[in-house]
Amino acid sequence: MSKIAIEIIGYVDLPGTISVIKKVTGKGIAEIKHCIEVQLPVWEAILFYNNHNEVATGLADIVKKLPAIGTQLAMYELEESDDATNLTRYQDCIITGEMLMNMLAMHNDEIDRQQDYNQ
């Protein structure tokens, strides 16, 4: 399984950034602000579990909405067991928004292919 960790590395609109993250993650304003200030992940999510659709939708929202308001992200694809509290050691795991969206699309294509095969 893949764990995606998202870190905020720059922003123009802090209230807007916090608002998007709060809607997706359900975290409190103070917790989100703290994560941004100390460069901790604002969200970690594991893909391909039973809640995959919800997680994928949240990731897509973050990838689309935050850059649109000037927020810069660093996204990491980690192993499920990796500790994301120190992301500097995972610099070789950085992914782009496009890579993440392609990963999600490939998964959806495979699900569709399997459903077509089973019919």
Side-chain angles (χ1 to χ4, degrees), residues 14-79:
L14 182 60
T17 298
I18 290 172
S19 176
V20 170
I21 296 167
K22 183 175 179 3
K23 286 177 187 171
V24 171
T25 67
K27 289 183 174 182
I29 293 170
E31 181 180 5
I32 296 167
K33 189 173 179 185
H34 173 74
C35 288
I36 293 170
E37 289 171 349
V38 299
Q39 295 183 310
L40 289 172
V42 293
W43 194 32
E44 295 176 49
I46 298 175
L47 294 174
F48 314 122
Y49 276 180
N50 289 339
N51 65 343
H52 173 76
N53 290 339
E54 180 182 319
V55 169
T57 300
L59 288 169
D61 281 350
I62 285 176
V63 168
K64 291 174 186 173
K65 291 179 180 177
L66 288 181
I69 62 170
T71 302
Q72 297 173 351
L73 310 173
M75 291 180 284
Y76 304 82
E77 181 183 15
L78 308 172
E79 295 295 324

Side-chain angles (χ1 to χ4, degrees), residues 90-110:
Y90 297 113
Q91 294 303 307
D92 59 332
C93 299
I94 290 179
I95 61 172
T96 65
E98 183 179 357
M99 291 168 70
L100 177 61
M101 297 309 290
N102 287 339
M103 189 184 330
L104 297 175
M106 285 176 38
H107 174 74
N108 289 339
D109 290 347
E110 179 60 20

